[in-house]
């Protein structure tokens, strides 16, 4: 557990450092959004979302352990706040999940008519 948390924090730090470097040299915020593995780690996948007036959202995914973590990074202070961590192994075992209408079963039943 400590190892994966350390890896997630290291990955988040690397993404933030890369983002800050690109922003400092005049790159647009969307230029550093990435779905590629974090630098220095071939295991972690990171993504940075930037919305004007909002903190940066950094998502780190460990595909080996099937865990994802989401952080907010304050643009002024650089303070990192963990927002959620979730093991999604069981999520991927569900056959279907839909919280709105129409439900997947409703669509199937409609196609059978």
């Amino acid at each position: 557990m400590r190892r994966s948390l350390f890896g997630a924090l290291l990955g988040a730090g690397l993404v933030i450092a890369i983002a800050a470097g690109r922003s400092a040299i005049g790159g647009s915020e969307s230029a550093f959004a990435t779905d590629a593995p974090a630098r220095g780690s071939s295991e972690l996948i990171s993504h940075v979302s930037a919305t004007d007036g909002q903190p940066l959202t950094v998502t780190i995914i460990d595909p080996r352990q099937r865990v994802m973590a989401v952080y907010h990074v304050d643009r002024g202070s650089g303070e990192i706040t963990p927002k959620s961590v979730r093991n999604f192994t069981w999520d991927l075992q569900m056959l279907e999940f839909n919280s709105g209408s129409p439900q997947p079963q409703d669509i199937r039943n409609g196609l059978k008519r």
Side-chain angles (χ1 to χ4, degrees), residues 44-68:
L44 299 177
I45 300 168
S46 62
H47 179 78
V48 177
S49 299
T51 303
D52 289 337
Q54 299 293 319
L56 295 174
T57 300
V58 179
T59 304
I60 308 290
I61 299 171
D62 184 338
R64 182 182 296 173
Q65 294 188 23
R66 294 181 178 238
V67 174
M68 69 179 287

Side-chain angles (χ1 to χ4, degrees), residues 67-90:
V67 174
M68 69 179 287
V70 178
Y71 303 89
H72 280 177
V73 181
D74 184 275
R75 294 170 186 257
S77 68
E79 179 181 343
I80 301 171
T81 306
K83 298 310 280 184
S84 71
V85 176
R86 182 174 182 137
N87 183 315
F88 54 84
T89 298
W90 299 112

